[in-house]
Amino acid sequence: MKAIHHIEKQTGKAFKLKKGAFLTVIDPMGQQVSDMVLFNSHDVNEKLSSGKSLDFEESILLTKGHFLWSNRSNKMVKIIEDTNGRNDFLLAPCSKETFEIMYNYKGYHPSCLENLYTNLKPFGLSMDDIPTAFNIFMNVQFDQKGKLSVLPPTSKGGDYIKFEAQMDLLVALTACSAEDSNGGRFKPIHYIIEE
Amino acid sequence: MKAIHHIEKQTGKAFKLKKGAFLTVIDPMGQQVSDMVLFNSHDVNEKLSSGKSLDFEESILLTKGHFLWSNRSNKMVKIIEDTNGRNDFLLAPCSKETFEIMYNYKGYHPSCLENLYTNLKPFGLSMDDIPTAFNIFMNVQFDQKGKLSVLPPTSKGGDYIKFEAQMDLLVALTACSAEDSNGGRFKPIHYIIEE
């Protein structure tokens, strides 16, 4: 039996993943985004880079067969399965300022940025260390003029994406906290590690 | 007379820019890209963020009227003029690995990443600190499937983009070193600072 790890709604987790191990991220109920950031577990100054990944993969939309790359131009993970097939790598993790600036929200609001850095803090990382995340299941549409729109995810309950680690990694994952990104309802995220 | 600063082909420069000052980046000969990165000059852990900028501006293509934002969700510059109108904020600065991995180039090749970090080194920054740059005049096309293509810039000799600093900044600029991004020929970049 492979253990299924639960990330409660609007929270996150961080963990190590060895080179060659597999990580499967599951949307158990459908329409739920999970922001993922990656670091070299032996030197956290090496981290996930959207700019390097889009450049080397020559695509905005990354799915099965693509790699996610680091700021030092090394492969971090390979996407080996992706049953939904729509992920975002353009937008930063939601933060309290996202809700203030974009949605005019007042007061405390849980966010992916907070959930990423509080879970990464025990590993010596700070808020400023968090790069643009790979936003699993996030449905960001763009037109030819570059206009961006965030739509509800197309993922259905049980959809998953499976990664193979290309180096020893420190991984952080969330169950995203932004209303507009998740069809207006917050749900958990599940994940499985196979070594 | 406003001083015109010259950036020789395949090189870069770094300098401070006070809040409220104007920076004009000029393509003097046409078809030449300039990669730009920005830091808060009082705390370089605050830096340019493509993810935050695309998110808050709701667009892949940033031009006149748009702001570039930091990883801490603060406005860094406003684009107040842009005579060419096509810039890229998706792709990482070219590095020696870009030429090795994408173009199978062997041996030393000048790169924007090297030109950014060597010019920023006197300010205490390292290679790992360089974020995805705002690539002025870079013509990256994308289709609806997300496929990316790098085409020659549409900029003509004398085209320029003008920024107004929204905070005290440390700026680094290059004259880009990648063959494919610059119509196959390397040219200088000029810039003017008005305080």
Side-chain angles (χ1 to χ4, degrees):
Chain A
M1 278 295 288
K2 293 172 283 192
I4 298 181
H5 301 272
H6 292 248
I7 302 176
E8 293 304 316
K9 67 176 181 179
Q10 296 188 299
T11 70
K13 289 211 173 146
F15 52 89
K16 293 197 174 176
L17 187 71
K18 284 209 175 303
K19 181 178 175 174
F22 299 97
L23 168 67
T24 305
V25 180
I26 305 155
D27 178 355
M29 298 173 70
Q31 293 201 331
Q32 178 60 46
V33 169
S34 176
D35 281 17
M36 180 175 78
V37 292
L38 304 170
F39 299 84
N40 175 340
S41 68
H42 304 294
D43 179 355
V44 293
N45 290 317
E46 180 167 17
K47 64 177 77 165
L48 185 64
S49 166
S50 59
K52 279 291 173 199
S53 300
L54 270 52
D55 202 358
F56 289 137
E57 299 300 325
E58 298 180 277
S59 181
I60 292 176
L61 297 172
L62 303 187
T63 181
K64 183 175 174 174
H66 288 123
F67 292 89
L68 307 186
W69 295 73
S70 78
N71 58 336
R72 294 186 191 160
S73 297
N74 293 311
K75 292 173 179 171
M76 301 194 90
V77 291
K78 182 177 184 180
I79 304 175
I80 58 171
E81 295 183 56
D82 185 8
T83 63
N84 175 54
R86 186 86 192 190
N87 310 292
D88 171 68
F89 210 178
L90 298 176
L91 303 188
C94 64
S95 64
K96 68 182 179 61
E97 295 85 2
T98 312
F99 300 104
E100 291 164 8
I101 294 169
M102 302 193 74
Y103 304 116
N104 206 25
Y105 187 90
K106 309 288 183 202
Y108 177 76
H109 194 299
S111 70
C112 284
L113 185 63
E114 181 186 18
N115 286 325
L116 292 169
Y117 82 75
T118 54
N119 282 284
L120 287 165
K121 203 176 168 186
F123 297 94
L125 288 154
S126 74
M127 193 177 72
D128 289 330
D129 296 320
I130 308 296
T132 295
F134 184 65
N135 304 309
I136 299 165
F137 309 126
M138 190 173 185
N139 184 8
V140 178
Q141 296 288 329
F142 46 89
D143 67 19
Q144 275 309 104
K145 290 182 174 171
K147 171 94 184 127
L148 294 170
S149 329
V150 178
L151 299 186
T154 53
S155 52
K156 294 182 175 49
D159 270 328
Y160 65 90
I161 185 167
K162 187 170 183 177
F163 303 97
E164 183 182 7
Q166 308 293 302
M167 62 169 69
D168 289 345
L169 293 170
L170 172 61
V171 180
L173 282 175
T174 69
C176 174
S177 297
E179 282 78 357
D180 282 13
S181 307
N182 299 288
R185 210 160 54 87
F186 304 117
K187 294 130 286 174
I189 285 288
H190 292 173
Y191 66 93
I192 296 168
I193 295 173
E194 297 166 271
E195 296 205 323
Chain B
M1 278 296 287
K2 293 170 284 189
I4 297 181
H5 301 272
H6 292 248
I7 302 176
E8 293 304 316
K9 66 176 184 179
Q10 298 189 298
T11 69
K13 288 212 173 144
F15 52 89
K16 292 197 177 177
L17 186 72
K18 284 209 176 303
K19 180 176 176 173
F22 299 96
L23 168 67
T24 304
V25 180
I26 305 154
D27 178 356
M29 300 174 69
Q31 293 202 331
Q32 178 59 45
V33 169
S34 176
D35 282 17
M36 180 176 77
V37 293
L38 304 170
F39 300 84
N40 174 341
S41 68
H42 305 293
D43 179 355
V44 293
N45 289 316
E46 179 165 19
K47 64 177 76 164
L48 185 64
S49 167
S50 59
K52 280 292 173 199
S53 300
L54 271 50
D55 202 357
F56 289 138
E57 300 300 326
E58 299 181 276
S59 182
I60 291 175
L61 296 172
L62 302 187
T63 182
K64 184 176 173 173
H66 287 123
F67 292 90
L68 308 186
W69 296 73
S70 78
N71 58 336
R72 293 185 192 162
S73 297
N74 294 311
K75 291 171 178 172
M76 301 193 90
V77 292
K78 181 176 184 180
I79 304 174
I80 58 170
E81 293 184 57
D82 186 7
T83 63
N84 175 53
R86 185 88 192 190
N87 309 293
D88 171 67
F89 211 178
L90 297 176
L91 303 188
C94 64
S95 64
K96 67 182 179 61
E97 296 84 2
T98 311
F99 301 104
E100 291 165 6
I101 294 169
M102 300 192 76
Y103 304 115
N104 206 27
Y105 187 90
K106 309 288 183 203
Y108 175 76
H109 194 298
S111 70
C112 285
L113 185 63
E114 181 186 16
N115 286 325
L116 291 168
Y117 82 76
T118 54
N119 282 284
L120 287 165
K121 201 176 169 186
F123 298 94
L125 287 154
S126 73
M127 193 177 72
D128 289 330
D129 296 320
I130 309 296
T132 295
F134 184 65
N135 304 309
I136 298 165
F137 309 125
M138 190 174 186
N139 184 8
V140 178
Q141 296 288 329
F142 47 87
D143 67 18
Q144 277 307 106
K145 290 183 174 170
K147 172 95 184 128
L148 294 170
S149 332
V150 178
L151 299 187
T154 54
S155 52
K156 294 183 174 47
D159 270 327
Y160 66 90
I161 183 167
K162 187 170 183 177
F163 304 97
E164 182 183 9
Q166 308 293 303
M167 63 168 72
D168 289 345
L169 292 171
L170 172 61
V171 179
L173 281 175
T174 69
C176 175
S177 298
E179 283 78 356
D180 282 13
S181 308
N182 299 290
R185 209 160 55 88
F186 303 117
K187 292 132 287 174
I189 284 288
H190 292 172
Y191 66 93
I192 296 168
I193 295 173
E194 296 166 89
E195 296 204 323

